[in-house]
C-alpha cells in the first residue's frame, strides 16, 4: 500500500522546499520529491537556485570581486599586492563547498520538520481530488505515494539557441558558465540579461576578453532608463563589450573554439571566434516527464503549468509555484508562492504581492529595483515626481571607494505614495529592501525623508533621494 500524505511537493528548489517546510510547520504531513544529484549519487536539494543558480553565481561574483579589488582598488588604500594570481580550481572548489553547505542545510531542515524526502523523479500516475493524487517516484527512492494536495515546483531549464545544443564544453548553459576550469582568453555571451551580465562580469574581472551579443536594441529594457544608462557606462569602463540589436546567424563549435556569425544593428555581417560561448537567452519551464497528461493537468502553449492568481491549477488540490508558472523567474518569488500555497492548503489566506517583488542584478555596480520605472509610469499616464541622489555625494560610499550610481525614488505627484525605487551602485541588493518595506506599507517619499538613517551609511542616499522628490536634498 502507498504511503499517504496531506501534501506532496514535486521539486525541492526554493519554491518546493519552502512550501514543504511551511506546510509541515502548519501541521500537515509532507513528502518532497527531487531528482537533483551531486557527485557520488547523493541528493542535492535546493534546485537550480542552490546548485547552478543564485548561490554558486554569487560565490563566483564574490571571488572575482575580491580579485578585481586586489588588482585595481587596493593600491588606493595603500595596499600593494605583488604577484597577484587566480587559482580557478580553488575558486571553483570553494563555490562547490558553498553549494554543498546549502544542500546539507536543506536536508537538515527536511529532517527537522519531519518532511519525508524522496530522491528521484516524481510524476503523476493517476488519482483524483477525493481519493488523493498518486505520484510515482523513479530513482534512488523508487516508490509510489498518495497525496491529498500536490504542489508542482519543478522549476525551469536553460533555453538553447535554435539548432545549437549546449555541450557545456564550448557552448555553455548556466551550469557550464559556473564551471569553466580556467580563465578563457575570449568569452562570448549571447544575451545581455541577468545571467549574461553576472557571468560575463565574473570572467571579465578574472581577465577574459568578454563580448556580449544582445538581440534587443535597448540595454536592460526592464530597468529604469537612467539606471540602465549608468550601468552600461560602468560596464564599458570595465571592458565588457556589449553589442545591441544583434541577430545571431550561425554558431559553429569546434574542438578549441566556437565561431559566431551575426548581423549587427546596421544589418552588417560580423564574425568572431571565442574560446567559450555562454548562451543565456532566458529559461523554459520544466514539465518533461511530469505526467501532466496522465491526469489532465493543463500546461499552456509555452510549457508553463497554467495557474490562477493563487497558484491553483485546473485540477482540484493540485497547485504550482515558482519558475514553472507565470511571473518573474526569481527565487524569492518562488518562495513567496510556496508559503502562500501551503497556507491556503492549511485553510489560511496566503498572499503574494507581485507589485513589490524586488529585482537585483549582482554586477558591479549592483542594480536593484522595485515597483515601476519612469518609462512605465509615463506609458501608464501616471503623474509622478522623481528624486535622485548620487553615491558620489554619500560619505560612506566615498569611504568605501565606490561612488558609482545613485538611488532614485518615484512618487505619485498628488499623494506622494512611493511607486518605485531604483538603485544602481554599491550594495543595491541590500538597499532595495527599504523600498520594498516602504511600498508594502504604502509609504510616501515624505515618510522616508523623515526617518532617521544611520550616518555614515549608504542608506542615507535613500533618505536623500526621498528628500530630492521634494527638491530639498541636504547634501547636494
Ligand atoms: P528550481 O530551483 O528550478 O527547482 C526545481 C527542482 O525540481 C529542481 O531540483 C529539479 O531538478 C526538480 N525537478 C524537476 N522536475 C522534477 C520531477 N519530475 N521530479 C522530481 N524533481 C524534479 N533568482 C534570484 O532570485 N536571485 C538570483 O540571484 C538568481 N540567480 C540565478 C543565477 C542563475 C545562473 C540562474 C540560472 C538562475 C538564477 N535565479 C536567481 C533564478 C532562480 O534560480 C529560480 O527562479 C529559482 O531557482 C526557481 O525556483 P523553483 O523552486 O521554481 O525551481
Ligand atoms: P533574461 O531573460 O534575463 O535575459 C535574456 C536576454 O537574452 C534578454 O535580454 C533577451 O533579449 C536576450 N535574447 C533572447 N534571445 C536572444 C537571441 N537569440 N540572441 C541574442 N539575445 C537574445 O534571461 P537569462 O539571463 O537567461 O536568465 C534567466 C532568468 O534567470 C532571468 O530572467 C532571471 O529571472 C533569472 N536570474 C535571476 C538572477 C538574479 O535575480 N540576480 C540572476 C540570473 C538569473
Amino acid at each position: 500500500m502507498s504511503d499517504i500524505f496531506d501534501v506532496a511537493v514535486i521539486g525541492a528548489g526554493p519554491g518546493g522546499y519552502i512550501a514543504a517546510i511551511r506546510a509541515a510547520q502548519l501541521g500537515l504531513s509532507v513528502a518532497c520529491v527531487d531528482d537533483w544529484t551531486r557527485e557520488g549519487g547523493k541528493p542535492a536539494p535546493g534546485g537550480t537556485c542552490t546548485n547552478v543558480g543564485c548561490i554558486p553565481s554569487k560565490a563566483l561574483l564574490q571571488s572575482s570581486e575580491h580579485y578585481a579589488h586586489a588588482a585595481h582598488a587596493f593600491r588606493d588604500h595603500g595596499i600593494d599586492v605583488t604577484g597577484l594570481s587566480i587559482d580557478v580550481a580553488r575558486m571553483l572548489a570553494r563555490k562547490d563547498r558553498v553549494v554543498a553547505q546549502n544542500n546539507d542545510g536543506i536536508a537538515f531542515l527536511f529532517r527537522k520538520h519531519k518532511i519525508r524526502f524522496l530522491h528521484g523523479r516524481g510524476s503523476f500516475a493517476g488519482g483524483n481530488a477525493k481519493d488523493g493524487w498518486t505520484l510515482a517516484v523513479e530513482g534512488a527512492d523508487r516508490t509510489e505515494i498518495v497525496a491529498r494536495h500536490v504542489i508542482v515546483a519543478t522549476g525551469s531549464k536553460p533555453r538553447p539557441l535554435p539548432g545549437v545544443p549546449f555541450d557545456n564544453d564550448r557552448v555553455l548553459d548556466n551550469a557550464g558558465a559556473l564551471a569553466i576550469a580556467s580563465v578563457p582568453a575570449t568569452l562570448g555571451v549571447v544575451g545581455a540579461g541577468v545571467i549574461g551580465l553576472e557571468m560575463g562580469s565574473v570572467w571579465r574581472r578574472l581577465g577574459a576578453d568578454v563580448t556580449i551579443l544582445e538581440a534587443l536594441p535597448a540595454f536592460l529594457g526592464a530597468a529604469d532608463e537612467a539606471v540602465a544608462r549608468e550601468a552600461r557606462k560602468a560596464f564599458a569602463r570595465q571592458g565588457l563589450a556589449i553589442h545591441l540589436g544583434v541577430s545571431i546567424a550561425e554558431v559553429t563549435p569546434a574542438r578549441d573554439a566556437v565561431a559566431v556569425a551575426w548581423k549587427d544593428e546596421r544589418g552588417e555581417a560580423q564574425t568572431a571566434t571565442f574560446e567559450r560561448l555562454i548562451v543565456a537567452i532566458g529559461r523554459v519551464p520544466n514539465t518533461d516527464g511530469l505526467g501532466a497528461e496522465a491526469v489532465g493537468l493543463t500546461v499552456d502553449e509555452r510549457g508553463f503549468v497554467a495557474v490562477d492568481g493563487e497558484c491553483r491549477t485546473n485540477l482540484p488540490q493540485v497547485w504550482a509555484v515558482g519558475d514553472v508558472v507565470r511571473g518573474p523567474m526569481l527565487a524569492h518569488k518562488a518562495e513567496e508562492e510556496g508559503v502562500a500555497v501551503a497556507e491556503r492548503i492549511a485553510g489560511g489566506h496566503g498572499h503574494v504581492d507581485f507589485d513589490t517583488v524586488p529585482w537585483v542584478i549582482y554586477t558591479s555596480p549592483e542594480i536593484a529595483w522595485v515597483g515601476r520605472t519612469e518609462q512605465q509610469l509615463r506609458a501608464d499616464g501616471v503623474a509622478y515626481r522623481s528624486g535622485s541622489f548620487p553615491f558620489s555625494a554619500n560619505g560612506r560610499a566615498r569611504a568605501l571607494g565606490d561612488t558609482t550610481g545613485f538611488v532614485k525614488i518615484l512618487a505619485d505627484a498628488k499623494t506622494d505614495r512611493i511607486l518605485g525605487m531604483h538603485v544602481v551602485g554599491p550594495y543595491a541588493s541590500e538597499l532595495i529592501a527599504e523600498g520594498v518595506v516602504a511600498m508594502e506599507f504604502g509609504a510616501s517619499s515624505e515618510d522616508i525623508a523623515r526617518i532617521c538613517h544611520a550616518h555614515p551609511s549608504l542608506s542615507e542616499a535613500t533618505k536623500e533621494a526621498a528628500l530630492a522628490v521634494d527638491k530639498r536634498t541636504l547634501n547636494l
Side-chain angles (χ1 to χ4, degrees):
M1 206 177 108
S2 309
D3 287 335
I4 301 174
F5 296 89
D6 293 325
V7 181
V9 186
I10 311 179
Y17 92 79
I18 288 291
I21 289 173
R22 186 69 190 119
Q25 280 177 340
L26 291 165
L28 301 166
S29 62
V30 184
C32 183
V33 190
D34 189 275
D35 62 351
W36 210 294
T37 306
R38 33 182 149 165
E39 256 176 60
K42 260 178 77 173
T48 302
C49 169
T50 301
N51 292 296
V52 291
C54 324
I55 301 299
S57 59
K58 267 79 257 178
L60 294 191
L61 279 156
Q62 190 60 54
S63 299
S64 59
E65 188 163 10
H66 282 323
Y67 181 83
H69 280 172
H72 308 297
F74 279 11
R75 205 179 149 64
D76 199 36
H77 291 260
I79 306 166
D80 287 320
V81 180
T82 46
L84 181 69
S85 67
I86 178 78
D87 181 339
V88 174
R90 229 176 328 138
M91 177 184 78
L92 296 181
R94 173 187 177 273
K95 176 226 23 166
D96 291 341
R97 279 198 307 279
V98 173
V99 168
Q101 281 164 0
N102 281 273
N103 295 140
D104 293 342
I106 295 166
F108 163 78
L109 290 170
F110 281 156
R111 288 194 299 277
K112 175 178 163 191
H113 291 283
K114 304 198 173 13
I115 293 162
R116 168 97 169 269
F117 178 73
L118 296 166
H119 188 207
R121 231 180 141 65
S123 62
F124 285 98
N128 54 53
K130 192 167 140 290
D131 304 320
W133 299 100
T134 304
L135 298 184
V137 179
E138 293 296 334
D141 294 329
R142 189 163 192 272
T143 186
E144 202 170 77
I145 58 174
V146 172
R148 214 159 46 79
H149 289 263
V150 176
I151 304 175
V152 178
T154 49
S156 64
K157 58 186 174 196
R159 184 159 75 86
L161 278 166
V164 189
F166 296 111
D167 57 22
N168 274 341
D169 176 31
R170 297 293 148 198
V171 182
L172 313 176
D173 63 13
N174 54 298
L178 290 160
I180 304 177
S182 59
V183 180
T186 52
L187 176 69
V189 180
V190 184
V194 201
I195 295 179
L197 291 173
E198 289 188 357
M199 297 318 301
S201 293
V202 165
W203 296 105
R204 172 69 205 133
R205 290 170 189 169
L206 299 179
D209 191 350
V210 178
T211 304
I212 304 185
L213 304 171
E214 164 62 42
L216 292 177
F219 177 63
L220 272 186
D224 188 86
E225 280 163 352
V227 167
R229 259 199 314 277
E230 182 77 5
R232 181 132 195 233
K233 273 195 289 183
F235 296 148
R237 280 199 299 276
Q238 291 160 19
L240 279 178
I242 302 173
H243 301 271
L244 302 176
V246 160
S247 167
I248 303 287
E250 207 167 12
V251 174
T252 318
R255 209 166 61 88
D256 299 324
V258 45
V260 181
W262 72 90
K263 284 227 169 81
D264 68 17
E265 56 192 340
R266 293 182 308 275
E268 285 170 19
Q270 305 288 347
T271 56
T273 300
F274 304 108
E275 212 176 299
R276 315 261 175 195
L277 182 73
I278 298 172
V279 175
I281 57 168
R283 298 176 61 83
V284 291
N286 217 346
T287 49
D288 301 344
L290 184 63
E293 53 303 322
V295 285
L297 177 67
T298 302
V299 173
D300 74 16
E301 64 287 353
R302 291 188 303 152
F304 290 97
V305 175
V307 289
D308 66 9
E310 298 201 320
C311 296
R312 291 172 210 277
T313 69
N314 65 310
L315 301 176
Q317 291 158 221
V318 177
W319 312 73
V321 301
D323 280 11
V324 78
V325 304
R326 82 289 168 267
M329 288 185 168
L330 295 173
H332 41 284
K333 175 265 194 185
E335 293 184 9
E336 291 297 306
E337 287 182 332
V339 167
V341 163
E343 291 178 349
R344 285 175 196 129
I345 291 172
H349 298 279
H351 174 72
V352 182
D353 187 348
F354 291 99
D355 292 335
T356 55
V357 174
W359 277 86
V360 179
I361 308 177
Y362 295 80
T363 44
S364 178
E366 290 189 347
I367 299 165
W369 70 89
V370 59
R372 283 186 279 175
T373 61
E374 286 209 47
Q375 58 269 30
Q376 282 169 336
L377 291 171
R378 283 197 302 268
D380 295 346
V382 178
Y384 66 93
R385 294 194 299 166
S386 168
S388 294
F389 189 81
F391 286 110
S392 58
N394 173 273
R396 183 74 196 282
R398 288 186 189 133
L400 278 175
D402 189 354
T403 53
T404 312
F406 55 84
V407 179
K408 181 196 271 192
I409 289 181
L410 304 173
D412 187 282
K414 260 212 203 97
T415 64
D416 195 34
R417 189 182 177 128
I418 296 174
L419 303 172
M421 174 169 157
H422 304 269
V423 189
V424 52
Y427 296 101
S429 55
E430 302 295 332
L431 293 173
I432 200 63
E434 184 171 3
V436 178
V437 172
M439 286 184 66
E440 276 294 334
F441 282 81
S444 62
S445 75
E446 178 76 14
D447 288 328
I448 300 279
R450 283 181 179 275
I451 291 171
C452 181
H453 288 66
H455 177 76
S457 71
L458 297 169
S459 70
E460 286 174 292
T462 305
K463 179 187 172 103
E464 291 276 9
L467 285 164
V469 171
D470 203 30
K471 298 197 172 24
R472 54 189 176 98
T473 50
L474 295 165
N475 283 287
L476 196 65

